[in-house]
Coordinates of all heavy atoms in Angstrom, one line a residue:
L42 N 23.5 17.5 -35.0 CA 23.6 16.0 -35.0 C 22.2 15.4 -35.2 O 22.0 14.3 -35.8 CB 24.1 15.5 -33.7 CG 25.6 15.8 -33.5 CD1 26.1 15.4 -32.1 CD2 26.5 15.2 -34.6
C43 N 21.1 16.2 -34.9 CA 19.7 15.7 -35.0 C 18.9 16.7 -35.8 O 18.2 17.5 -35.2 CB 19.1 15.5 -33.6 SG 20.0 14.3 -32.6
P44 N 19.1 16.7 -37.1 CA 18.3 17.6 -38.0 C 16.8 17.3 -37.9 O 16.4 16.2 -37.6 CB 18.9 17.4 -39.4 CG 19.4 15.9 -39.3 CD 19.9 15.7 -37.9
P45 N 16.0 18.3 -38.2 CA 14.6 18.1 -38.2 C 14.2 17.1 -39.2 O 14.8 16.9 -40.3 CB 14.0 19.5 -38.5 CG 15.1 20.2 -39.2 CD 16.4 19.7 -38.6
A46 N 13.0 16.4 -39.0 CA 12.5 15.4 -39.9 C 12.2 16.0 -41.2 O 11.7 17.2 -41.3 CB 11.3 14.8 -39.3
P47 N 12.5 15.3 -42.3 CA 12.2 15.9 -43.7 C 10.7 16.1 -43.8 O 9.8 15.4 -43.2 CB 12.7 14.8 -44.6 CG 12.8 13.6 -43.8 CD 13.0 14.0 -42.4
A48 N 10.3 17.0 -44.8 CA 8.9 17.3 -45.0 C 8.2 16.0 -45.6 O 8.9 15.2 -46.3 CB 8.7 18.4 -46.0
A49 N 6.9 15.8 -45.3 CA 6.2 14.6 -45.7 C 6.1 14.7 -47.2 O 5.9 15.7 -47.9 CB 4.8 14.6 -45.1
C50 N 6.2 13.5 -47.8 CA 6.0 13.3 -49.3 C 5.3 12.0 -49.5 O 5.8 11.0 -49.1 CB 7.4 13.3 -50.0 SG 7.3 13.2 -51.8
P51 N 4.2 12.0 -50.2 CA 3.5 10.8 -50.5 C 4.3 9.8 -51.3 O 5.2 10.2 -52.1 CB 2.3 11.3 -51.4 CG 2.1 12.7 -51.0 CD 3.5 13.2 -50.8
A52 N 4.1 8.6 -51.1 CA 4.9 7.5 -51.7 C 4.8 7.6 -53.2 O 5.7 7.2 -53.9 CB 4.5 6.2 -51.2
A53 N 3.7 8.0 -53.7 CA 3.5 8.1 -55.2 C 4.0 9.3 -55.9 O 3.8 9.5 -57.1 CB 2.0 7.9 -55.5
C54 N 4.6 10.2 -55.1 CA 5.1 11.5 -55.6 C 6.6 11.6 -55.6 O 7.3 10.9 -54.8 CB 4.4 12.6 -54.9 SG 2.6 12.5 -54.8
R55 N 7.1 12.5 -56.4 CA 8.4 13.0 -56.3 C 8.5 14.4 -55.7 O 7.8 15.3 -56.3 CB 9.1 12.9 -57.7 CG 9.1 11.5 -58.3 CD 9.8 11.5 -59.7 NE 9.1 12.4 -60.6 CZ 8.1 12.0 -61.4 NH1 7.7 10.7 -61.3 NH2 7.5 12.8 -62.2
C56 N 9.2 14.6 -54.7 CA 9.1 15.8 -54.0 C 10.5 16.5 -54.0 O 11.5 15.9 -53.9 CB 8.7 15.7 -52.5 SG 7.0 15.0 -52.4
S57 N 10.4 17.8 -54.0 CA 11.6 18.7 -53.9 C 11.1 19.9 -53.0 O 9.9 20.0 -52.8 CB 12.1 19.2 -55.2 OG 11.1 19.9 -55.9
P58 N 12.0 20.7 -52.5 CA 11.6 21.8 -51.6 C 10.5 22.6 -52.3 O 10.7 23.3 -53.3 CB 12.9 22.6 -51.4 CG 14.0 21.6 -51.6 CD 13.5 20.6 -52.6
G59 N 9.3 22.6 -51.7 CA 8.2 23.4 -52.1 C 7.4 22.8 -53.3 O 6.4 23.4 -53.7
E60 N 7.8 21.7 -53.8 CA 7.1 21.1 -55.0 C 6.8 19.6 -54.8 O 7.7 18.9 -54.3 CB 7.9 21.3 -56.2 CG 7.2 20.8 -57.5 CD 8.0 21.1 -58.7 OE1 8.9 22.0 -58.7 OE2 7.7 20.6 -59.8
A61 N 5.7 19.2 -55.2 CA 5.3 17.8 -55.2 C 4.8 17.4 -56.6 O 3.8 18.0 -57.1 CB 4.2 17.5 -54.2
D62 N 5.5 16.5 -57.3 CA 5.1 16.0 -58.6 C 4.5 14.6 -58.5 O 5.2 13.6 -58.3 CB 6.3 16.0 -59.5 CG 5.9 15.7 -61.0 OD1 4.7 15.5 -61.2 OD2 6.8 15.8 -61.8
C63 N 3.2 14.6 -58.6 CA 2.4 13.3 -58.5 C 1.8 13.0 -59.9 O 0.8 12.3 -59.9 CB 1.3 13.4 -57.5 SG 1.9 14.0 -55.9
S64 N 2.4 13.4 -61.0 CA 1.9 13.1 -62.3 C 2.1 11.7 -62.7 O 3.1 11.1 -62.3 CB 2.5 14.1 -63.3 OG 2.3 15.5 -62.9
Q65 N 1.2 11.2 -63.6 CA 1.3 9.9 -64.2 C 1.6 8.8 -63.2 O 2.5 7.9 -63.3 CB 2.5 9.9 -65.2 CG 2.2 10.9 -66.4 CD 3.3 10.9 -67.4 OE1 4.5 10.5 -67.1 NE2 3.0 11.3 -68.6
R66 N 0.8 8.8 -62.1 CA 0.9 7.8 -61.1 C -0.4 6.9 -60.9 O -0.4 6.1 -60.0 CB 1.2 8.5 -59.7 CG 2.5 9.2 -59.7 CD 3.7 8.2 -59.8 NE 5.0 8.9 -59.9 CZ 6.1 8.3 -59.9 NH1 6.2 7.0 -59.9 NH2 7.3 9.0 -60.0
G67 N -1.3 7.1 -61.8 CA -2.5 6.3 -61.7 C -3.4 6.6 -60.5 O -4.1 5.7 -60.1
L68 N -3.3 7.8 -60.0 CA -4.0 8.2 -58.8 C -5.5 8.3 -59.1 O -5.9 8.9 -60.1 CB -3.5 9.5 -58.3 CG -2.0 9.4 -57.8 CD1 -1.5 10.8 -57.4 CD2 -1.8 8.4 -56.7
L69 N -6.3 7.9 -58.1 CA -7.8 8.1 -58.2 C -8.3 9.2 -57.3 O -9.4 9.7 -57.4 CB -8.5 6.8 -57.8 CG -8.2 5.6 -58.6 CD1 -8.9 4.3 -58.0 CD2 -8.6 5.8 -60.1
E70 N -7.4 9.8 -56.5 CA -7.7 10.9 -55.6 C -6.4 11.6 -55.2 O -5.3 11.2 -55.5 CB -8.4 10.4 -54.3 CG -7.6 9.4 -53.5 CD -8.3 8.9 -52.3 OE1 -9.5 9.2 -52.2 OE2 -7.7 8.1 -51.5
V71 N -6.6 12.8 -54.6 CA -5.5 13.6 -54.3 C -4.8 13.0 -53.0 O -5.4 12.7 -52.1 CB -5.9 15.0 -53.9 CG1 -4.8 15.9 -53.5 CG2 -6.7 15.6 -55.1
P72 N -3.5 12.8 -53.1 CA -2.8 12.3 -51.9 C -3.0 13.3 -50.7 O -2.9 14.5 -50.9 CB -1.3 12.3 -52.4 CG -1.4 12.3 -53.8 CD -2.6 13.1 -54.2
W73 N -3.1 12.7 -49.5 CA -3.4 13.5 -48.4 C -2.1 13.9 -47.6 O -2.0 15.0 -47.0 CB -4.3 12.8 -47.4 CG -4.8 13.6 -46.3 CD1 -4.4 13.6 -45.0 CD2 -5.8 14.6 -46.3 NE1 -5.0 14.6 -44.3 CE2 -6.0 15.2 -45.1 CE3 -6.7 15.1 -47.4 CZ2 -6.9 16.2 -44.8 CZ3 -7.6 16.1 -47.1 CH2 -7.7 16.6 -45.8
S74 N -1.1 13.1 -47.6 CA 0.1 13.3 -46.8 C 1.1 14.2 -47.6 O 2.2 13.9 -47.8 CB 0.8 12.0 -46.5 OG 1.1 11.3 -47.7
L75 N 0.6 15.4 -47.9 CA 1.4 16.5 -48.5 C 2.0 17.4 -47.5 O 1.3 17.7 -46.5 CB 0.6 17.2 -49.6 CG 0.3 16.4 -50.8 CD1 -0.8 17.1 -51.6 CD2 1.5 16.2 -51.7

Side-chain angles (χ1 to χ4, degrees):
L42 294 176
C43 301
C50 181
C54 305
R55 298 181 298 271
C56 299
S57 59
E60 181 174 349
D62 187 357
C63 309
S64 302
Q65 298 181 338
R66 296 293 177 175
L68 299 176
L69 299 176
E70 59 184 5
V71 179
W73 188 260
S74 56
L75 291 165

